[in-house]
Amino acid sequence: MTYVKLELFFWKILKLHHFRLQEARLEVLKQLLKQREENHQELNIKRLDQLWAVKQKNKEARIKKIRNEHIKAIRKLTEKRAKLETSFFRRAIIQEYSDSGSQSFAPLTRLGVFLDRGSEQYLVKSKHLSTYQGLLELEASLPDFVMHPRVKAPKPVTVTDTGFIKRKYKKEKELTEAYEAIKAEQERSQDVPRALRFLQRIERPIPRPPTPEIEILDDEEENKELAVIFLQQVIRGRAIQNNMFEGKVKRRELINEIRSTHALQEKEQNMKKHEEKATLALQKQRKMHEHKESLIDESLAELESKSLGEMFDFLTKELVRLQEERRIHAFSMLAERQRRIREAEESGRRQWEIRRRREEDEIFKQVVKTHQVTVDTYLENIISGSIDNTADEQARSEIEKQALAINDLAYEVEDSRDKLESEEIVADLVHCFLIPEAKKQTVR
């Protein structure tokens, strides 16, 4: 009974100690969780403050921008109202219908006109636009000019319908020709090798002949020299006269024709004047007619070119818009595919993080469990050791008491028994202890 009581007492002490240890652990865990929550709360408050500051700045910037735009719009409206109050304009119906950006030609949607109403029936539904594999096939089948559109600028018309070069392009052509000529001249001057200054032989100039000196002549010799000079002058003059006479003979017919025109009568001269005036009037009339026809042709050509230019401009803009729309659609498909890939990667990463967190929680649980098991085993070892010691001491004391009582009984029996009883006791001891021990030894 005492052994059972001791065991119950030690088990109660062990449970109490284990309960206090669990309470201490719970307190530590509560403190750690509280500290972590406070840290998270501080971080969240800081992030919220930063976000609030950024949003407040963006809000103030937007409000400022809206106010500035409002002021500009009010100013424009006041100016338009002032203009409308002071001036009135007549509606140009032909210009409105010829202009592709006017309200009559292309009405705006915000005014209640929906041109693309019922366009869902023309919507293309294909597997290339609804499935991922179809998008890949569409991307592989698209040519290079869809992803990289090339728009060539139209060349300017430098020649008119009559074949003449326009004044602006004519000046540009003259300037380019002058520039090319100057450039060719510079290249030609650069190609000519310059002679070296210090390796060139400098020739001396030819010496001038000596100045002639006139000797002093006598009077007779001087008269002879003057006569010779006069004779030379006469011969030269006669040669010039002969040349003039020969030219007169050669152009005699032309001289006679000129003289005949000047010698005509007054009637013929008047007739010729009348014919000249008539021809001049006809030429003037023809020039006026050609000028009117040219003005009409120019106005018609201007109208045709304007309408054709507007039509081609509209078609080119539509072509560019369609190309941009196709490119934006392709980019949106690629972006959608990239978004799906990133979402798949993010979901895989999130699943990996959740699995890792579970593993860490399980590791923490196992570590805490091992600590608890070690503490339990340590306490059990201490309690079992103390119980064994107390039980051993108590058993020894009881055995000693029983041994003393048995010894007393044995001494009393020894004193009172006879030889037969002693032989029976010996035989009983041999039969109960010695023979079984011998059998055990032989079996072993």
Side-chain angles (χ1 to χ4, degrees):
M1 291 295 290
T2 55
Y3 178 75
V4 174
K5 288 179 180 180
L6 286 171
E7 189 175 355
L8 291 171
F9 177 71
F10 281 115
W11 274 109
K12 287 181 181 178
I13 292 170
L14 182 63
K15 285 182 180 180
L16 183 61
H17 183 71
H18 184 68
F19 181 71
R20 289 178 181 176
L21 186 63
Q22 288 285 4
E23 286 182 351
R25 287 176 186 169
L26 287 172
E27 288 293 330
V28 172
L29 286 172
K30 285 180 181 178
Q31 290 178 2
L32 291 173
L33 289 171
K34 187 176 180 181
Q35 188 175 2
R36 189 177 69 178
E37 289 294 329
E38 289 177 355
N39 293 330
H40 281 300
Q41 192 71 17
E42 289 178 358
L43 289 173
N44 290 327
I45 289 167
K46 288 181 180 178
R47 288 175 184 172
L48 288 172
D49 291 337
Q50 291 176 359
L51 288 172
W52 186 80
V54 172
K55 295 289 184 183
Q56 196 70 17
K57 287 182 181 178
N58 294 331
K59 180 182 174 183
E60 290 176 357
R62 288 178 182 175
I63 290 169
K64 189 176 180 181
K65 186 178 178 181
I66 291 166
R67 285 176 180 172
N68 292 330
E69 290 178 354
H70 176 69
I71 292 167
K72 289 181 182 178
I74 293 296
R75 193 182 295 119
K76 288 179 181 179
L77 287 173
T78 51
E79 290 178 358
K80 285 183 180 179
R81 186 173 181 181
K83 288 180 181 178
L84 288 172
E85 288 176 355
T86 56
S87 60
F88 297 95
F89 297 99
R90 189 177 181 182
R91 183 183 175 189
I93 300 172
I94 297 171
Q95 188 175 0
E96 286 181 2
Y97 278 95
S98 63
D99 187 8
S100 59
S102 64
Q103 180 66 20
S104 301
F105 191 89
L108 297 174
T109 307
R110 65 171 180 263
L111 299 177
V113 181
F114 299 94
L115 297 177
D116 56 348
R117 183 174 291 170
S119 61
E120 292 82 7
Q121 57 183 344
Y122 304 108
L123 185 63
V124 179
K125 295 180 181 180
S126 176
K127 67 173 185 178
H128 295 288
L129 302 177
S130 59
T131 59
Y132 177 71
Q133 192 67 27
L135 285 174
L136 292 177
E137 292 176 3
L138 179 63
E139 184 181 359
S141 64
L142 286 175
D144 186 33
F145 68 87
V146 176
M147 302 300 292
H148 304 284
R150 295 182 293 273
V151 180
K152 293 183 180 179
K155 294 183 180 179
V157 181
T158 58
V159 183
T160 58
D161 296 334
T162 56
F164 295 101
I165 301 173
K166 294 182 179 180
R167 186 180 297 173
K168 182 175 68 174
Y169 299 107
K170 189 175 181 181
K171 289 181 180 180
E172 289 181 359
K173 187 177 180 182
E174 290 176 357
L175 289 172
T176 52
E177 288 178 356
Y179 174 71
E180 289 176 357
I182 292 166
K183 194 174 180 181
E185 187 68 26
Q186 289 178 357
E187 291 178 355
R188 196 182 301 112
S189 63
Q190 288 177 0
D191 292 339
V192 175
R194 284 189 177 183
L196 298 175
R197 181 179 177 186
F198 297 101
L199 296 179
Q200 187 178 4
R201 183 177 179 182
I202 300 172
E203 296 181 358
R204 293 181 180 180
I206 300 170
R208 294 180 66 185
T211 305
E213 296 179 357
I214 300 172
E215 296 180 356
I216 298 171
L217 300 175
D218 296 335
D219 294 335
E220 294 179 0
E221 292 179 356
E222 188 175 0
N223 292 328
K224 288 180 181 179
E225 189 173 358
L226 291 172
V228 170
I229 291 168
F230 181 72
L231 184 61
Q232 288 178 356
Q233 291 177 355
V234 171
I235 292 167
R236 287 174 183 169
R238 190 62 184 173
I240 291 167
Q241 286 180 359
N242 290 329
N243 290 328
M244 289 178 66
F245 185 74
E246 289 176 358
K248 181 181 178 182
V249 172
K250 288 179 181 179
R251 272 76 174 176
R252 185 177 295 278
E253 294 179 357
L254 182 62
I255 292 167
N256 292 327
E257 187 178 358
I258 293 169
R259 284 178 180 177
S260 65
T261 55
H262 286 286
L264 290 174
Q265 296 179 1
E266 292 183 359
K267 291 183 178 180
E268 293 178 355
Q269 289 179 0
N270 292 327
M271 287 175 67
K272 286 193 174 186
K273 285 181 181 180
H274 285 300
E275 289 177 358
E276 186 177 358
K277 288 180 181 179
T279 52
L280 290 172
L282 289 172
Q283 287 179 358
K284 187 176 181 181
Q285 189 176 1
R286 188 178 64 185
K287 286 181 180 178
M288 290 290 291
H289 183 67
E290 289 178 354
H291 181 66
K292 288 180 180 179
E293 288 183 352
S294 65
L295 288 174
I296 293 167
D297 293 336
E298 285 179 0
S299 60
L300 291 173
E302 185 178 358
L303 290 172
E304 290 176 357
S305 62
K306 188 177 179 181
S307 61
L308 289 172
E310 290 175 354
M311 183 177 67
F312 288 140
D313 186 20
F314 178 72
L315 291 175
T316 51
K317 287 178 180 178
E318 285 293 320
L319 179 61
V320 171
R321 186 182 66 78
L322 288 173
Q323 290 176 353
E324 291 292 330
E325 187 176 355
R326 287 183 180 178
R327 189 172 67 176
I328 290 165
H329 188 265
F331 284 157
S332 64
M333 291 295 176
L334 292 174
E336 184 69 21
R337 187 186 68 180
Q338 192 70 21
R339 185 181 67 80
R340 290 178 181 175
I341 292 169
R342 287 183 179 176
E343 284 181 355
E345 292 177 354
E346 188 67 25
S347 64
R349 195 180 298 112
R350 195 178 297 111
Q351 289 176 2
W352 180 77
E353 288 178 356
I354 292 167
R355 196 183 305 115
R356 184 67 182 274
R357 193 178 299 164
R358 288 177 181 173
E359 290 177 357
E360 289 178 355
D361 293 338
E362 188 65 28
I363 290 166
F364 179 74
K365 288 179 181 178
Q366 293 294 332
V367 169
V368 172
K369 189 175 180 181
T370 51
H371 287 306
Q372 290 178 357
V373 170
T374 51
V375 171
D376 293 339
T377 52
Y378 176 70
L379 294 172
E380 286 177 359
N381 290 328
I382 293 171
I383 292 166
S384 61
S386 60
I387 290 168
D388 291 336
N389 292 327
T390 52
D392 190 8
E393 291 176 357
Q394 189 177 1
R396 283 182 181 179
S397 62
E398 289 179 356
I399 288 166
E400 286 178 356
K401 291 178 181 179
Q402 289 179 4
L404 292 173
I406 290 167
N407 285 330
D408 294 337
L409 292 172
Y411 288 144
E412 290 177 358
V413 170
E414 284 290 333
D415 293 336
S416 62
R417 74 183 173 182
D418 56 0
K419 186 177 179 181
L420 183 60
E421 290 176 356
S422 62
E423 287 177 358
E424 288 178 359
I425 290 168
V426 171
D428 192 10
L429 289 172
V430 170
H431 181 73
C432 292
F433 292 100
L434 188 60
I435 293 170
E437 188 67 25
K439 285 182 180 181
K440 287 180 183 180
Q441 291 292 332
T442 56
V443 169
R444 288 176 183 174

